[in-house]
Amino acid sequence: MNDNQMKLKHWRNFILFSVVVALIVGCFSVVSDHSPYFGEGSNVSALETVTSYIAIMINSLPMWFIVAMIVGYLYGRNLKEGILFGAIYTTMAITFYFIIGSVFEETAIQSTTKEIITVYVTWYGTSLVGGCIGVAAGFLYKKTPYVLLLLPVGLTLQLLLNGYRSWSNSIGIAQNITFCIMMIFSIWLFLNAKRKNRTSYDVQK
């Protein structure tokens, strides 16, 4: 297989991965936006609770960042290409979100063209910045395990943003506990990767 065929296969695999994952992320993000009320006095079925939990987790900022890291780790052959892939994947995900959301959105409020443009610029802009940073982190993880320390920091910030009130309902509790488990797991991955690097360095010496 020549170099051009390798590049074509690499791009094809990336596009396939991005379309599938972006579609899943977009769908669950819309489901998250339409989750039922889980506060005191709510009456939600077990299936709705599980579906809402999965959707809310997928739609959370840490998960968007982690998926972007996976894209960078799997498909970024260099930092520049990784950031390009991050921009493409993120654009796909946010586009699917808007398309699917528009199908299920029922509102009588008419937005002005300026308001619509502002929403799109804000969403695409912030998503692209976050996605590119996540992809860059995923690529750099192949160089140094210290990139993993971004995860516990980000997860801690997310828990602080969720606040005390997020512990008052089942979904909030489940999400916060999941973030705590992810934090512990990311620290374990970092320590394990660092140990392997040290062992490899000692063997080379």
mmCIF file of all heavy atoms in Angstrom, residues 1 5 8-9 11 18 36 39 43 48 54 85 100-102 113 115 120 131 135 140 145 148 157 163 170 184:
data_model
loop_
_atom_site.group_PDB
_atom_site.id
_atom_site.type_symbol
_atom_site.label_atom_id
_atom_site.label_comp_id
_atom_site.label_asym_id
_atom_site.label_seq_id
_atom_site.Cartn_x
_atom_site.Cartn_y
_atom_site.Cartn_z
ATOM 1 N N MET A 1 0.850 -1.201 0.000
ATOM 2 C CA MET A 1 0.000 0.000 0.000
ATOM 3 C C MET A 1 0.885 1.249 0.000
ATOM 4 O O MET A 1 1.730 1.413 0.871
ATOM 5 C CB MET A 1 -0.897 0.007 1.235
ATOM 6 C CG MET A 1 -1.910 1.134 1.252
ATOM 7 S SD MET A 1 -2.995 1.098 2.699
ATOM 8 C CE MET A 1 -3.966 -0.377 2.384
ATOM 9 N N GLN A 5 -2.446 5.885 -0.688
ATOM 10 C CA GLN A 5 -3.492 4.956 -0.237
ATOM 11 C C GLN A 5 -3.598 4.944 1.281
ATOM 12 O O GLN A 5 -4.702 4.856 1.836
ATOM 13 C CB GLN A 5 -3.205 3.547 -0.763
ATOM 14 C CG GLN A 5 -3.410 3.387 -2.260
ATOM 15 C CD GLN A 5 -3.007 2.010 -2.752
ATOM 16 O OE1 GLN A 5 -2.008 1.433 -2.312
ATOM 17 N NE2 GLN A 5 -3.790 1.473 -3.680
ATOM 18 N N LEU A 8 -5.381 8.115 2.273
ATOM 19 C CA LEU A 8 -6.799 8.013 1.948
ATOM 20 C C LEU A 8 -7.521 7.127 2.964
ATOM 21 O O LEU A 8 -8.621 7.470 3.428
ATOM 22 C CB LEU A 8 -6.975 7.455 0.544
ATOM 23 C CG LEU A 8 -8.429 7.307 0.045
ATOM 24 C CD1 LEU A 8 -9.112 8.670 0.003
ATOM 25 C CD2 LEU A 8 -8.444 6.661 -1.339
ATOM 26 N N LYS A 9 -6.913 6.016 3.335
ATOM 27 C CA LYS A 9 -7.506 5.109 4.316
ATOM 28 C C LYS A 9 -7.614 5.795 5.675
ATOM 29 O O LYS A 9 -8.611 5.649 6.393
ATOM 30 C CB LYS A 9 -6.673 3.838 4.431
ATOM 31 C CG LYS A 9 -7.251 2.822 5.406
ATOM 32 C CD LYS A 9 -6.388 1.571 5.486
ATOM 33 C CE LYS A 9 -6.973 0.575 6.494
ATOM 34 N NZ LYS A 9 -6.137 -0.643 6.601
ATOM 35 N N TRP A 11 -7.875 9.040 6.303
ATOM 36 C CA TRP A 11 -8.954 10.025 6.240
ATOM 37 C C TRP A 11 -10.326 9.352 6.233
ATOM 38 O O TRP A 11 -11.260 9.830 6.877
ATOM 39 C CB TRP A 11 -8.792 10.900 4.993
ATOM 40 C CG TRP A 11 -7.970 12.119 5.241
ATOM 41 C CD1 TRP A 11 -6.624 12.243 5.079
ATOM 42 C CD2 TRP A 11 -8.432 13.381 5.720
ATOM 43 N NE1 TRP A 11 -6.215 13.502 5.423
ATOM 44 C CE2 TRP A 11 -7.297 14.229 5.817
ATOM 45 C CE3 TRP A 11 -9.677 13.879 6.074
ATOM 46 C CZ2 TRP A 11 -7.389 15.550 6.251
ATOM 47 C CZ3 TRP A 11 -9.771 15.200 6.500
ATOM 48 C CH2 TRP A 11 -8.642 16.012 6.596
ATOM 49 N N SER A 18 -15.876 9.951 12.842
ATOM 50 C CA SER A 18 -16.423 11.257 13.218
ATOM 51 C C SER A 18 -17.917 11.331 12.970
ATOM 52 O O SER A 18 -18.665 11.860 13.802
ATOM 53 C CB SER A 18 -15.711 12.373 12.441
ATOM 54 O OG SER A 18 -14.354 12.441 12.799
ATOM 55 N N PRO A 36 -36.576 15.108 31.458
ATOM 56 C CA PRO A 36 -37.676 15.461 32.372
ATOM 57 C C PRO A 36 -37.143 16.034 33.687
ATOM 58 O O PRO A 36 -35.940 15.975 33.971
ATOM 59 C CB PRO A 36 -38.376 14.109 32.609
ATOM 60 C CG PRO A 36 -37.313 13.086 32.359
ATOM 61 C CD PRO A 36 -36.456 13.651 31.263
ATOM 62 N N GLY A 39 -36.442 16.699 40.151
ATOM 63 C CA GLY A 39 -36.450 17.230 41.510
ATOM 64 C C GLY A 39 -37.504 16.576 42.386
ATOM 65 O O GLY A 39 -38.130 15.565 42.039
ATOM 66 N N ASN A 43 -41.982 12.214 38.939
ATOM 67 C CA ASN A 43 -42.386 10.827 38.735
ATOM 68 C C ASN A 43 -41.861 10.371 37.379
ATOM 69 O O ASN A 43 -42.536 10.471 36.357
ATOM 70 C CB ASN A 43 -43.910 10.694 38.805
ATOM 71 C CG ASN A 43 -44.374 9.258 38.706
ATOM 72 O OD1 ASN A 43 -43.591 8.334 38.939
ATOM 73 N ND2 ASN A 43 -45.626 9.058 38.327
ATOM 74 N N GLU A 48 -36.506 6.230 31.556
ATOM 75 C CA GLU A 48 -36.265 7.662 31.326
ATOM 76 C C GLU A 48 -35.090 8.155 32.157
ATOM 77 O O GLU A 48 -34.287 8.979 31.695
ATOM 78 C CB GLU A 48 -37.513 8.468 31.686
ATOM 79 C CG GLU A 48 -38.644 8.378 30.683
ATOM 80 C CD GLU A 48 -39.832 9.221 31.100
ATOM 81 O OE1 GLU A 48 -40.293 9.075 32.245
ATOM 82 O OE2 GLU A 48 -40.286 10.052 30.287
ATOM 83 N N ILE A 54 -27.491 8.984 30.726
ATOM 84 C CA ILE A 54 -26.534 8.789 29.635
ATOM 85 C C ILE A 54 -26.450 10.045 28.775
ATOM 86 O O ILE A 54 -25.358 10.504 28.409
ATOM 87 C CB ILE A 54 -26.935 7.574 28.774
ATOM 88 C CG1 ILE A 54 -26.844 6.286 29.599
ATOM 89 C CG2 ILE A 54 -26.050 7.475 27.529
ATOM 90 C CD1 ILE A 54 -27.389 5.060 28.885
ATOM 91 N N PHE A 85 -8.377 17.858 12.430
ATOM 92 C CA PHE A 85 -9.360 16.804 12.664
ATOM 93 C C PHE A 85 -10.319 17.204 13.787
ATOM 94 O O PHE A 85 -11.515 16.899 13.736
ATOM 95 C CB PHE A 85 -8.664 15.497 13.017
ATOM 96 C CG PHE A 85 -8.067 14.784 11.829
ATOM 97 C CD1 PHE A 85 -7.222 13.698 12.009
ATOM 98 C CD2 PHE A 85 -8.345 15.192 10.539
ATOM 99 C CE1 PHE A 85 -6.682 13.034 10.931
ATOM 100 C CE2 PHE A 85 -7.802 14.536 9.444
ATOM 101 C CZ PHE A 85 -6.964 13.450 9.641
ATOM 102 N N ILE A 100 -30.742 18.027 14.479
ATOM 103 C CA ILE A 100 -31.658 17.153 15.212
ATOM 104 C C ILE A 100 -32.514 17.969 16.176
ATOM 105 O O ILE A 100 -33.714 17.732 16.330
ATOM 106 C CB ILE A 100 -30.873 16.067 15.971
ATOM 107 C CG1 ILE A 100 -30.116 15.189 14.974
ATOM 108 C CG2 ILE A 100 -31.809 15.198 16.821
ATOM 109 C CD1 ILE A 100 -29.102 14.269 15.607
ATOM 110 N N GLY A 101 -31.900 18.960 16.822
ATOM 111 C CA GLY A 101 -32.632 19.807 17.755
ATOM 112 C C GLY A 101 -33.739 20.593 17.080
ATOM 113 O O GLY A 101 -34.821 20.777 17.648
ATOM 114 N N SER A 102 -33.495 21.042 15.850
ATOM 115 C CA SER A 102 -34.506 21.824 15.128
ATOM 116 C C SER A 102 -35.719 20.984 14.767
ATOM 117 O O SER A 102 -36.823 21.507 14.634
ATOM 118 C CB SER A 102 -33.901 22.429 13.860
ATOM 119 O OG SER A 102 -33.543 21.407 12.931
ATOM 120 N N THR A 113 -32.666 37.583 12.768
ATOM 121 C CA THR A 113 -31.480 37.075 12.072
ATOM 122 C C THR A 113 -30.222 37.320 12.901
ATOM 123 O O THR A 113 -29.338 36.457 12.978
ATOM 124 C CB THR A 113 -31.339 37.762 10.697
ATOM 125 O OG1 THR A 113 -32.519 37.531 9.927
ATOM 126 C CG2 THR A 113 -30.136 37.219 9.942
ATOM 127 N N GLU A 115 -29.973 37.525 16.164
ATOM 128 C CA GLU A 115 -29.953 36.599 17.301
ATOM 129 C C GLU A 115 -29.529 35.211 16.858
ATOM 130 O O GLU A 115 -28.742 34.536 17.543
ATOM 131 C CB GLU A 115 -31.333 36.538 17.956
ATOM 132 C CG GLU A 115 -31.716 37.805 18.716
ATOM 133 C CD GLU A 115 -33.158 37.770 19.201
ATOM 134 O OE1 GLU A 115 -33.980 37.038 18.602
ATOM 135 O OE2 GLU A 115 -33.468 38.488 20.175
ATOM 136 N N TYR A 120 -25.266 30.918 16.617
ATOM 137 C CA TYR A 120 -24.421 30.016 15.836
ATOM 138 C C TYR A 120 -22.940 30.345 16.009
ATOM 139 O O TYR A 120 -22.108 29.439 16.167
ATOM 140 C CB TYR A 120 -24.799 30.062 14.357
ATOM 141 C CG TYR A 120 -25.973 29.183 14.004
ATOM 142 C CD1 TYR A 120 -27.264 29.699 13.931
ATOM 143 C CD2 TYR A 120 -25.809 27.827 13.752
ATOM 144 C CE1 TYR A 120 -28.350 28.893 13.624
ATOM 145 C CE2 TYR A 120 -26.882 27.011 13.434
ATOM 146 C CZ TYR A 120 -28.151 27.552 13.376
ATOM 147 O OH TYR A 120 -29.225 26.749 13.079
ATOM 148 N N GLY A 131 -12.917 21.896 21.228
ATOM 149 C CA GLY A 131 -12.596 20.680 20.489
ATOM 150 C C GLY A 131 -11.148 20.637 20.042
ATOM 151 O O GLY A 131 -10.488 19.594 20.161
ATOM 152 N N VAL A 135 -8.411 17.871 21.175
ATOM 153 C CA VAL A 135 -7.686 17.057 20.207
ATOM 154 C C VAL A 135 -6.178 17.237 20.375
ATOM 155 O O VAL A 135 -5.414 16.269 20.309
ATOM 156 C CB VAL A 135 -8.123 17.422 18.773
ATOM 157 C CG1 VAL A 135 -7.181 16.817 17.763
ATOM 158 C CG2 VAL A 135 -9.525 16.914 18.513
ATOM 159 N N LEU A 140 -0.963 15.133 22.182
ATOM 160 C CA LEU A 140 0.199 15.329 23.046
ATOM 161 C C LEU A 140 0.327 14.240 24.103
ATOM 162 O O LEU A 140 1.409 14.020 24.640
ATOM 163 C CB LEU A 140 0.121 16.706 23.711
ATOM 164 C CG LEU A 140 0.286 17.906 22.765
ATOM 165 C CD1 LEU A 140 0.036 19.212 23.508
ATOM 166 C CD2 LEU A 140 1.679 17.902 22.138
ATOM 167 N N PRO A 145 2.580 11.830 29.437
ATOM 168 C CA PRO A 145 1.379 11.506 30.215
ATOM 169 C C PRO A 145 0.851 12.672 31.038
ATOM 170 O O PRO A 145 -0.274 12.615 31.541
ATOM 171 C CB PRO A 145 1.851 10.363 31.120
ATOM 172 C CG PRO A 145 3.317 10.600 31.283
ATOM 173 C CD PRO A 145 3.765 11.140 29.943
ATOM 174 N N LEU A 148 -2.684 14.180 30.855
ATOM 175 C CA LEU A 148 -3.837 13.593 31.556
ATOM 176 C C LEU A 148 -4.234 14.389 32.790
ATOM 177 O O LEU A 148 -5.372 14.272 33.261
ATOM 178 C CB LEU A 148 -3.522 12.148 31.961
ATOM 179 C CG LEU A 148 -3.558 11.104 30.842
ATOM 180 C CD1 LEU A 148 -3.085 9.756 31.358
ATOM 181 C CD2 LEU A 148 -4.960 10.986 30.262
ATOM 182 N N LEU A 157 -13.343 21.352 38.267
ATOM 183 C CA LEU A 157 -14.028 22.603 37.928
ATOM 184 C C LEU A 157 -15.495 22.342 37.586
ATOM 185 O O LEU A 157 -16.380 23.120 37.963
ATOM 186 C CB LEU A 157 -13.333 23.285 36.748
ATOM 187 C CG LEU A 157 -11.950 23.891 37.031
ATOM 188 C CD1 LEU A 157 -11.327 24.400 35.746
ATOM 189 C CD2 LEU A 157 -12.052 25.012 38.059
ATOM 190 N N GLY A 163 -22.174 22.620 41.544
ATOM 191 C CA GLY A 163 -22.597 23.175 42.824
ATOM 192 C C GLY A 163 -23.298 22.199 43.750
ATOM 193 O O GLY A 163 -23.576 21.047 43.393
ATOM 194 N N SER A 170 -31.480 12.576 41.749
ATOM 195 C CA SER A 170 -30.814 11.327 41.385
ATOM 196 C C SER A 170 -29.844 11.492 40.218
ATOM 197 O O SER A 170 -28.730 10.949 40.242
ATOM 198 C CB SER A 170 -31.857 10.248 41.050
ATOM 199 O OG SER A 170 -32.704 10.675 39.981
ATOM 200 N N ILE A 184 -10.622 9.871 39.475
ATOM 201 C CA ILE A 184 -9.742 8.856 40.064
ATOM 202 C C ILE A 184 -9.090 8.020 38.968
ATOM 203 O O ILE A 184 -7.888 7.729 39.011
ATOM 204 C CB ILE A 184 -10.536 7.966 41.043
ATOM 205 C CG1 ILE A 184 -11.005 8.788 42.240
ATOM 206 C CG2 ILE A 184 -9.675 6.788 41.517
ATOM 207 C CD1 ILE A 184 -11.990 8.053 43.138
#
